[in-house]
Amino acid sequence: MPKLSVTSEIWPLRTAFKISRGAKTQAEVVVVTLSDGEFTGRGECVPYARYGESIDQVMADINAQADALERGMTRAELQDAMKAGAARNAVDCAYWDLEAKRFGRRVWELPGLEAPAPTGLVTAETLSLDTPDAMREAAKKAASAPLLKLKLNGENVIESVRAVREGAPESRLIVDANEAWSIELLRDIGAELDALGVEMIEQPLPAGSDDGLVDIDCPVLLCADESVHTVADIPRLARLYDMINIKIDKTGGLTGALELADAALDAGMQLMVGCMVGTSLAMAPAMVVAARARIVDLDGPLWMAKDRENGIDFDKGVMSLPDAALWG
């Protein structure tokens, strides 16, 4: 039976990561290891205050399952024992990693999935919220990236997007408002964002206050992020959005993420796979789901001053498959 270990870690960022809700200069993560004496599986989660999570509470929630885990709780039983969220994510991903090592197979082979883009996945590279001039300069430095994601609030939206377009004229663009816009702003700027080549708008309105999107005819794809966590959210969101952003910290792990992907595709929605700001250990499980996504946003490790050993390689916006020594 696997033995549980839970630790917290702090990873400094190379520069401040700014969104509409604030800024951070370090990634605070929780790492779970499950060891059976021969093999060890690992999983990383990023507790997120927006969802009422903290490092201490997540660690307590995981440790509360120690006896059940060491008595042989299965990964399937874990889904009922813990609610969707960061705590379950770390344990679920450690289970997947342990199972892959026990069977001597890559993790995507276990559910019968194809490898996530053997030649690598194109991921968005994120530009932090800043002044239009600063975002133009950041875009110039990242102009070789095939896909850029702009963090925005409700101010200077068009000016910021236009500045980034000037700085990176060949890059595809997506934008993320992190719940900061009003429906009136979205209605006013949708056509202009389309003209600037923006392909997708992520979570323009606050979660729970987005029912008005049913009446919006936006020329740019709309993607739910903070509004979507589990399969139960899909019936409502399918009327409002074109896409959902699947994050394993929200779904409670790879198991829930695969179920959510199936439900969204069955409902006629497209997929984006995103991340919190974490290390390569947090990105690797999400890559399994990302193989089915239209948009991938797994650039968390690029924000690290230093990533984990055996971390994922990034080259001009393309991320390599994770090394089995890292995860899966």
Side-chain angles (χ1 to χ4, degrees):
M1 303 303 176
K3 184 173 180 59
L4 172 71
S5 174
V6 188
T7 58
S8 62
E9 299 174 350
I10 293 177
W11 294 79
L13 305 187
R14 58 177 174 78
T15 188
F17 182 79
K18 303 173 188 176
I19 68 172
S20 62
R21 282 190 293 269
K24 64 191 304 182
T25 58
Q26 59 189 24
E28 299 180 55
V29 309
V30 172
V31 176
V32 164
T33 60
L34 294 175
S35 295
D36 64 5
E38 184 176 3
F39 301 105
T40 297
R42 298 189 301 165
E44 175 184 313
C45 72
V46 183
Y48 201 40
R50 168 65 180 81
Y51 304 131
E53 298 173 336
S54 68
I55 292 287
D56 289 344
Q57 186 59 57
V58 163
M59 293 182 70
D61 289 346
I62 295 169
N63 281 315
Q65 301 298 322
D67 288 345
L69 289 166
E70 293 176 12
R71 287 197 303 268
M73 175 193 286
T74 66
R75 180 166 52 80
E77 291 168 340
L78 174 70
Q79 311 309 308
D80 294 325
M82 301 183 75
K83 66 181 181 180
R88 193 177 79 188
N89 173 39
V91 181
D92 182 80
C93 290
Y95 260 120
W96 280 98
D97 189 30
L98 181 60
E99 290 169 20
K101 289 178 168 61
R102 282 172 170 172
F103 286 100
R105 302 169 68 183
R106 294 313 308 264
V107 73
W108 49 83
E109 297 173 348
L110 300 179
L113 300 175
E114 294 184 2
T119 57
L121 285 170
V122 173
T123 179
E125 293 191 22
T126 303
L127 303 183
S128 270
L129 174 67
D130 214 321
T131 65
D133 287 343
M135 293 186 78
R136 180 188 295 107
E137 294 306 307
K140 288 179 181 179
K141 295 176 182 178
S144 63
L147 177 62
L148 293 177
K149 173 175 172 175
L150 288 60
K151 290 289 191 179
L152 302 172
N153 57 18
E155 301 176 3
N156 302 315
V157 174
I158 297 300
E159 294 84 352
S160 296
V161 175
R162 186 179 292 118
V164 170
R165 175 52 75 207
E166 292 168 357
E170 302 301 321
S171 299
R172 297 164 53 208
L173 301 183
I174 58 177
V175 302
D176 185 3
N178 286 113
E179 307 180 272
W181 295 358
S182 66
I183 198 163
E184 291 80 15
L185 178 60
L186 175 61
R187 186 179 286 113
D188 289 345
I189 66 176
E192 197 162 358
L193 290 176
D194 183 43
L196 287 167
V198 173
E199 297 182 15
M200 183 272 287
I201 301 167
E202 188 178 345
Q203 196 68 43
L205 307 183
S209 299
D210 50 3
D211 285 333
L213 292 176
V214 73
D215 298 318
I216 288 287
D217 183 18
C218 184
V220 182
L221 293 173
L222 299 179
C223 179
D225 180 5
E226 285 88 346
S227 288
V228 62
H229 293 256
T230 67
V231 170
D233 297 316
I234 293 300
R236 185 181 79 90
L237 299 180
R239 301 181 302 108
L240 309 177
Y241 294 92
D242 305 294
M243 308 177 69
I244 62 165
N245 186 352
I246 298 175
K247 294 179 179 175
I248 59 174
D249 271 312
K250 295 188 300 179
T251 64
L254 177 57
T255 303
L258 293 171
E259 293 173 353
L260 181 56
D262 287 341
L265 292 171
D266 287 346
M269 305 182 81
Q270 299 183 60
L271 303 182
M272 174 182 180
V273 172
C275 64
M276 307 303 184
V277 181
T279 75
S280 285
L281 181 58
M283 305 302 119
M287 291 183 72
V288 179
V289 193
R292 307 165 70 185
R294 172 170 176 165
I295 294 175
V296 176
D297 176 27
L298 296 176
D299 66 337
L302 293 179
W303 288 89
M304 301 295 124
K306 180 182 179 182
D307 194 14
R308 292 188 187 277
E309 186 178 357
N310 301 308
I312 295 167
D313 290 325
F314 291 81
D315 182 23
K316 295 179 180 178
V318 178
M319 57 192 306
S320 66
L321 288 180
D323 191 301
L326 171 71
W327 184 89

